[in-house]
């Protein structure tokens, strides 16, 4: 048994010389010290020894185990160190190599235009306010002077959740929300998403963007509305752009006007974009209907106001010469990444 022990130790020494990697080392360890290992076999055969022989043999075996464990551990450390070094060498990076140019993202044309329009109006002292897209019938229609059964409701094919809750069909409910919570002077704009049950085509989408503008103060007149929108058009498209106001109708404004701009494509000469007229329609506007002021708790004998609503997709399409609205929503990066703010 004594010799056997010696032999195991010698064998381990020899075999350790040949070990190259940690998995080979582990199998060697199991071969000697594992459950079925050679040292364990010797321990098992201790039963054959006499009671007097056992303690001395036990000590020898323990000593041999310690000794071999130490050798194995020492080798494990060496192998780990060399494996780590090999790994580091294999993963060496040349930090001086040039990197591929990072792909640059870009803003969506509708976002670009919203930022631009917001900039123009905040420059004139307007404040940006927000409103919910899931809106109450009360704000979207009732306070905008569009009671139930009013024909104007048909013009805006509405997505309803139930009798009272809907997806807002325009940004005008933010007018009502603002007037019911603030006192004049009010000077706000509200860009945001609106929804109408329209079929998708070159000029329609069930989701699009509008921007609402609202001014309420003492002595606000139609001249203020015209001046503000004229300044807006010139800031956005250039000083040679003129505005034209045509009588129109909205239940929430009285009087109401559609606003045309000099065609930005041909500068008034007449082209395909303006269908030869030299003008393009971009805005709905008017003086806030005194009835709306009153419903929102504002004294219409003391205050007056104007409001306007403009479609952001329309502005973006004119700005970038886009002829089909669908291009704005299809997410084709080859198209979108060509359009940048200037
Ligand atoms: N809310 C109107 C629309 O969606 C636009 C508008 C806003 C008109 C404000 C007048 C005043 O068509």
């Amino acid at each position: 048994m004594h010799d056997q022990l010696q032999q195991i130790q010698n064998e381990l020494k020899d075999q350790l010389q040949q070990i190259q990697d940690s998995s080979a080392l582990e199998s060697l360890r199991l071969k000697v010290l594992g459950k079925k290992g050679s040292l364990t076999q010797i321990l098992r055969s201790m039963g054959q020894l006499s009671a007097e022989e056992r303690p001395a043999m036990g000590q020898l075996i323990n000593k041999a185990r310690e000794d071999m464990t130490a050798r194995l551990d020492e080798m494990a450390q060496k192998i780990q160190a060399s494996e780590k070094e090999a790994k580091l060498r294999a993963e060496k990076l040349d930090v001086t190599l040039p990197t591929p140019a990072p792909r640059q993202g870009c803003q969506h044309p509708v976002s670009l235009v919203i930022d631009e329009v917001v900039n123009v109006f905040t420059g004139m002292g307007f404040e940006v306010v927000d409103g919910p897209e899931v809106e109450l019938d009360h704000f979207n229609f009732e306070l905008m002077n569009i009671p139930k059964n009013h024909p104007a409701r048909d013009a805006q094919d509405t997505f309803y959740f139930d009798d009272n809750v809907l997806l807002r069909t325009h940004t005008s409910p933010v007018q009502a929300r603002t007037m019911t919570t603030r006192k004049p002077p009010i000077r706000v704009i509200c860009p945001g998403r609106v929804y109408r049950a329209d079929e998708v085509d070159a000029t329609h989408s069930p989701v699009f963007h509008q921007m609402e503008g609202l001014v309420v103060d003492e002595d606000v007149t139609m001249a203020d509305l015209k001046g503000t929108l004229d300044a807006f058009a010139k800031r956005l498209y250039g000083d040679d752009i003129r505005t034209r106001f045509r009588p129109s109708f909205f239940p929430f404004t009285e009087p109401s006007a559609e606003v045309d701009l000099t065609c930005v494509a041909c500068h008034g000469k007449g082209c395909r974009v303006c269908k030869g007229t030299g003008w393009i329609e971009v805005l709905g506007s008017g003086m806030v209907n005194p009835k709306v002021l009153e419903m929102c708790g504002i004294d219409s004998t003391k205050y007056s106001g104007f409001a306007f609503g403009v479609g952001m997709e329309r502005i973006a399409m004119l700005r970038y010469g886009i002829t089909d609205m669908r291009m704005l929503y299809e997410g084709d990066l080859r198209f979108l990444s060509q359009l940048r703010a200037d």
Side-chain angles (χ1 to χ4, degrees):
M1 205 176 270
H2 202 268
D3 293 346
Q4 250 179 312
L5 201 57
Q6 195 57 54
Q7 196 191 336
I8 292 174
Q9 281 179 281
N10 289 342
E11 268 175 26
L12 181 78
K13 254 189 247 171
D14 288 348
Q15 283 169 351
L16 269 177
Q17 302 299 318
Q18 286 147 38
I19 294 289
Q20 303 279 6
D21 61 69
S22 44
S23 70
L25 184 68
E26 181 59 13
S27 34
L28 179 59
R29 199 179 65 78
L30 288 174
K31 217 172 103 193
V32 182
L33 302 177
K35 260 192 197 155
K36 293 182 181 151
S38 42
L39 191 75
T40 320
Q41 300 290 321
I42 297 193
L43 262 177
R44 293 233 172 88
S45 56
M46 288 261 290
Q48 299 161 10
L49 297 177
S50 68
E52 299 85 62
E53 285 171 319
R54 249 180 250 161
M57 196 60 208
Q59 264 183 10
L60 268 178
I61 293 178
N62 278 341
K63 171 86 186 47
R65 186 212 299 275
E66 273 168 30
D67 194 51
M68 290 193 292
T69 308
R71 279 176 199 282
L72 283 162
D73 287 351
E74 190 190 339
M75 195 56 175
Q77 269 177 15
K78 269 194 207 152
I79 286 179
Q80 260 176 25
S82 72
E83 279 180 350
K84 188 172 169 194
E85 193 160 313
K87 198 170 168 217
L88 284 176
R89 223 176 300 128
E91 289 177 358
K92 200 167 95 177
L93 286 179
D94 183 352
V95 291
T96 64
L97 281 177
T99 55
R103 257 184 71 165
Q104 234 185 346
C106 60
Q107 266 186 296
H108 191 276
V110 173
S111 298
L112 288 173
V113 160
I114 290 177
D115 283 357
E116 218 176 337
V117 173
V118 164
N119 254 332
V120 171
F121 280 104
T122 49
M124 292 197 259
F126 282 74
E127 183 190 338
V128 179
V129 293
D130 209 1
E133 290 171 26
V134 176
E135 186 53 285
L136 295 174
D137 184 287
H138 180 65
F139 289 110
N140 195 81
F141 290 129
E142 296 288 333
L143 289 185
M144 287 293 105
N145 196 30
I146 312 175
K148 291 216 159 55
N149 304 320
H150 191 289
R153 288 205 181 202
D154 302 338
Q156 305 193 349
D157 287 325
T158 311
F159 290 113
Y160 280 97
F161 292 99
D162 59 37
D163 281 351
N164 297 316
V165 184
L166 45 80
L167 286 172
R168 68 179 177 192
T169 56
H170 50 176
T171 42
S172 297
V174 185
Q175 286 188 35
R177 287 184 173 271
T178 307
M179 286 189 280
T180 48
T181 51
R182 293 186 183 202
K183 296 251 161 306
I186 292 169
R187 212 183 294 147
V188 295
I189 47 168
C190 169
R193 234 172 255 142
V194 299
Y195 302 82
R196 289 184 199 177
D198 279 331
E199 294 290 336
V200 176
D201 65 23
T203 52
H204 291 89
S205 158
V207 189
F208 58 103
H209 298 75
Q210 278 192 337
M211 200 191 66
E212 196 77 9
L214 172 72
V215 170
V216 183
D217 203 347
E218 289 175 35
D219 303 324
V220 175
T221 69
M222 192 90 183
D224 297 310
L225 170 64
K226 290 188 78 172
T228 304
L229 293 182
D230 198 68
F232 160 67
K234 288 186 163 56
R235 285 282 298 280
L236 199 64
Y237 292 114
D239 280 342
D240 62 329
I241 298 295
R242 289 183 302 131
T243 44
R244 178 172 84 171
F245 286 65
R246 279 181 296 107
S248 183
F249 173 80
F250 298 103
F252 34 93
T253 46
E254 184 57 38
S256 304
E258 302 267 15
V259 183
D260 299 339
L261 306 187
T262 318
C263 176
V264 294
C266 64
H267 290 257
K269 286 190 212 73
C271 68
R272 216 160 49 92
V273 175
C274 58
K275 300 192 181 84
T277 64
W279 294 96
I280 39 168
E281 182 196 321
V282 287
L283 274 139
S285 69
M287 300 306 291
V288 181
N289 191 323
K291 236 172 126 182
V292 170
L293 289 175
E294 292 295 336
M295 279 192 285
C296 294
I298 290 179
D299 182 354
S300 66
T301 59
K302 187 167 177 212
Y303 296 106
S304 55
F306 67 77
F308 55 87
V310 50
M312 291 292 112
E313 278 77 358
R314 180 116 174 91
I315 299 284
M317 287 166 77
L318 292 169
R319 189 95 177 80
Y320 296 111
I322 301 164
T323 49
D324 191 323
M325 195 164 171
R326 284 167 287 202
M327 297 184 83
L328 290 173
Y329 302 120
E330 280 165 358
D332 186 337
L333 290 178
R334 289 170 305 181
F335 161 68
L336 293 176
S337 59
Q338 293 173 42
L339 311 175
R340 293 186 188 278
D342 46 26

